[in-house]
Amino acid sequence: LHMGLYHSLREWYNPIFLQDNANNCTDAKFVDEILIPTLKDMTLRYKPEVIWADGASGDNPCSSDSVSYWKAPQFLSWLYNESPVKTTVVTNTRWGSGSGGDYASGPDRWTPGKKVPEKWESCFTIQRGSWGFDRTEGIDQFYNTTALLYQLVSTVSCNGNLLLNIGPTADGRIVPAFQERLLQMGAWLQVNGEAIYGTKPWQFQNDTEAGRIWYTQSKKTGAVYATSFDWPSPVDNKPGEIVLTQMKSSPSSVAVSLLGWGGGALTSHPAADGLHITAPDAAVTELPSPYAWVLKITGL
């Protein structure tokens, strides 16, 4: 587990920051006297391996500039060349307009739905609105575990990383609504983690014709994982069928298994319209994990 620190560049009510804005940023006194010394002190004291910048927009457009006002290149140059974490630290791209960084963090709850060439991150919340603890929020204001896993799987399929935010109470407690979702996601990953960890985007990201299915590929073995958020219903008392339409005319050597299922390989056959897979003869409640199911395909 690697430790990272969040730091808001902007201090909304700091009088020096407000004065910089009022002066149309002809001075960067707040940056020179407070921000950069604070960032350096934070790095020297705690040696974080992630520095997550945020809040680079002020009331005046001039204070959104990463170079002329926030002086991000100056700090990042020190960070990558002189700091004690210079060989391990990574940063996001919220240092103001035109800023650098190691991975794109985009807007909050960024969900492109397609492959992004550079590494990127989806900043997401368990709550639908707040980023902190709000005692007035009802349970309907929390995403359920299926929705959160959908965000995780679709993000990884598109070359991204999921940053999932929770809001602890003022005294540091994580309330049951957060605990439940985190524990359920962890249990799902214990069964299906190989479809997430150590993977990369496959040549296709999803299978919209077949339903809510997202693909990833093992960097090590080349196996392809199809994570489905729908399970086929039986037909005429026979197990249902999943058709992966992005695997048209697959080789006959293809083999399919269901992660966590102890009943052996699944019956499959390639066809012109896709790879047809017969689901296990079992009720959904008998499957290895709820929420979503992972098919592992080898021999492609």
Side-chain angles (χ1 to χ4, degrees):
L1 184 65
H2 298 263
M3 189 272 289
L5 292 174
Y6 170 99
H7 197 287
S8 175
L9 306 186
R10 180 187 183 193
E11 290 186 21
W12 281 261
Y13 304 108
N14 186 294
I16 302 176
F17 175 72
L18 296 176
Q19 189 61 49
D20 284 353
N21 276 255
N23 293 338
N24 203 33
C25 305
T26 52
D27 293 316
K29 192 173 181 181
F30 171 77
V31 176
D32 293 334
E33 296 184 6
I34 297 177
L35 177 64
I36 290 182
T38 299
L39 286 170
K40 287 186 175 182
D41 180 65
M42 177 183 81
T43 304
L44 293 169
R45 282 175 182 264
Y46 303 111
K47 300 178 178 58
E49 297 199 355
V50 180
I51 295 181
W52 212 95
D54 199 13
S57 21
D59 299 322
N60 189 320
C62 70
S63 62
S64 297
D65 192 294
S66 68
V67 178
S68 63
Y69 184 70
W70 293 115
K71 301 184 180 180
Q74 176 182 323
F75 171 70
L76 294 175
S77 177
W78 173 83
L79 182 69
Y80 292 131
N81 291 284
E82 301 177 42
S83 80
V85 291
K86 61 184 180 183
T87 60
T88 56
V89 70
V90 294
T91 65
N92 66 342
T93 53
R94 291 193 182 185
W95 298 88
S97 57
S99 71
D102 297 296
Y103 60 92
S105 40
D108 291 345
R109 301 182 183 86
W110 186 24
T111 310
K114 60 182 180 180
K115 183 180 177 181
V116 177
E118 67 272 11
K119 291 302 295 182
W120 64 280
E121 184 171 71
S122 173
C123 314
F124 211 75
T125 55
I126 289 182
Q127 303 119 297
R128 297 180 183 275
S130 175
W131 287 82
F133 174 72
D134 184 347
R135 70 176 66 186
T136 67
E137 286 181 321
I139 197 64
D140 61 320
Q141 291 302 306
F142 286 71
Y143 288 104
N144 62 33
T145 302
T146 301
L148 296 171
L149 285 170
Y150 190 90
Q151 186 68 22
L152 170 65
V153 173
S154 60
T155 295
V156 174
S157 296
C158 296
N159 201 36
N161 168 70
L162 178 64
L163 174 64
L164 186 60
N165 177 82
I166 63 168
T169 62
D171 56 357
R173 290 179 294 111
I174 299 175
V175 299
F178 292 119
Q179 290 184 35
E180 179 184 52
R181 284 150 180 77
L182 293 175
L183 290 169
Q184 289 171 342
M185 291 179 76
W188 186 88
L189 285 166
Q190 282 188 318
V191 176
N192 302 290
E194 68 176 272
I196 300 296
Y197 302 117
T199 64
K200 63 181 180 179
W202 189 46
Q203 58 182 309
F204 301 105
Q205 275 61 68
N206 61 1
D207 205 323
T208 51
E209 290 184 53
R212 299 184 301 160
I213 294 176
W214 292 87
Y215 294 107
T216 54
Q217 184 175 28
S218 170
K219 294 178 182 178
K220 186 176 181 180
T221 67
V224 174
Y225 302 94
T227 301
S228 176
F229 286 83
D230 298 304
W231 193 252
S233 300
V235 178
D236 297 328
N237 293 320
K238 295 181 180 179
E241 187 179 71
I242 299 171
V243 181
L244 301 180
T245 61
Q246 299 288 23
M247 296 187 180
K248 295 179 174 67
S249 302
S250 300
S252 58
S253 59
V254 72
V256 183
S257 59
L258 177 68
L259 294 189
W261 176 250
L266 304 186
T267 301
S268 65
H269 67 274
D273 64 338
L275 181 62
H276 291 242
I277 303 166
T278 303
D281 187 8
V284 172
T285 54
E286 298 176 294
L287 296 175
S289 57
Y291 318 117
W293 302 272
V294 180
L295 300 167
K296 181 178 181 179
I297 302 101
T298 58
L300 287 171

